[in-house]
Amino acid sequence: MLDIGAHTSIAGGVHNAVEEQLEYDGTCGQIFTHSPQVWQDPNVGDEEAERFREISVEHDVGPWVVHSSYLVNLCTPKDDLREKSIDSMQKELDAAAKLSIPYVNVHLGAHTGAGVEGGLDNAASALEVLDVPDGVTVLVESDAGGGTKLGSTFEELAGVLERCSLNLDVCLDTAHMFAAGYDLSTPAGVDETFAEFDEVVGLEHLECVHLNDSKHDCGTNKDEHAHVGEGKIGDEGMRAFVNHDAVEGVPFVLETPTEDGKSYAWNVERVRELYEE
């Protein structure tokens, strides 16, 4: 059973994200609880939270994912940024619980001079501080890499999971993996990537996929998403990915662009076509 949806807006109330998802014919989805480019607390009222929960159940839309702020940096050696990141993550977790959303997704961030091991230590210890509500899981997202960003390799993802006593899981982003050097453009490449992920991290930790094609070549560390099948991963790679046994039952969330007359609805339908093929 294919579970496919898109990142939708909470403008006008978080319940509107469900209505938007229905317009795309999506069955799962992702939201920001506020603008991801500023330090801001989630502002979800009791009534709109109840409406979000009710509409999601009524139309069988879910699971949902809360994507944390882009400013969060769990790997940072800077005390002030670390505290802001922990505070922001805690509030996202509490908002997710209020909305009955099972996942909060986060990028590890950049170690900015602390080194890979130091950055992973910082991330794990920051996550340890969190009071994770029952029914909510933190997902560590794979990154495109570049500079001192961490999470672009499966070893780095595994390093955080191994260091942290929380029950962490993983969200893989296809465009990010491709940019980081995991070639998903062929069936053989997809097979090899999943085999490596299973060996290093474990497929039991894969709980969500951000399904995006890439505008740039494999291994460039350039993070720019393309429509499904129309980027450098292409139809062949995307078809192999969505039909792979490793992602059976895993929800796919689109973060594709809105350009060239193609919206999320176009990409949802394209994924279904590739899956049915």
Side-chain angles (χ1 to χ4, degrees), residues 170-184:
V170 171
C171 173
L172 290 177
D173 185 304
T174 50
H176 295 173
M177 284 194 291
F178 191 71
Y182 296 97
D183 190 356
L184 302 174

Side-chain angles (χ1 to χ4, degrees), residues 211-230:
L211 195 66
N212 306 297
D213 211 324
S214 174
K215 291 187 177 181
H216 302 283
D217 291 328
C218 185
T220 59
N221 301 125
K222 293 182 178 179
D223 179 14
E224 193 173 4
H225 299 178
H227 295 299
V228 171
E230 299 204 342

Side-chain angles (χ1 to χ4, degrees), residues 4-8 20 24 30 70 173-176 209-215 223-231 233 238 252-260 262-271:
I4 176 71
H7 186 109
T8 49
E20 183 182 346
Y24 303 142
Q30 178 177 270
Y70 290 145
D173 185 304
T174 50
H176 295 173
V209 167
H210 286 167
L211 195 66
N212 306 297
D213 211 324
S214 174
K215 291 187 177 181
D223 179 14
E224 193 173 4
H225 299 178
H227 295 299
V228 171
E230 299 204 342
I233 297 175
M238 282 293 181
F252 295 146
V253 177
L254 296 162
E255 297 173 326
T256 46
T258 300
E259 59 188 18
D260 303 326
K262 298 183 176 80
S263 66
Y264 278 137
W266 183 93
N267 283 277
V268 166
E269 179 59 28
R270 185 68 190 117
V271 174

Side-chain angles (χ1 to χ4, degrees), residues 115-142:
V116 172
E117 297 303 313
L120 295 176
D121 287 342
N122 290 341
S125 62
L127 290 165
E128 291 274 5
V129 177
L130 299 174
D131 181 11
V132 181
D134 289 342
V136 181
T137 299
V138 175
L139 301 182
V140 180
E141 182 178 346
S142 61

Side-chain angles (χ1 to χ4, degrees), residues 7 30 32 34-39 67-73 88 92 107 109 141 255:
H7 186 109
Q30 178 177 270
F32 292 121
H34 57 84
S35 170
Q37 297 169 329
V38 296
W39 293 113
H67 196 302
S68 64
S69 169
Y70 290 145
L71 300 182
V72 168
N73 186 346
S88 178
E92 300 287 21
H107 294 271
E141 182 178 346
E255 297 173 326

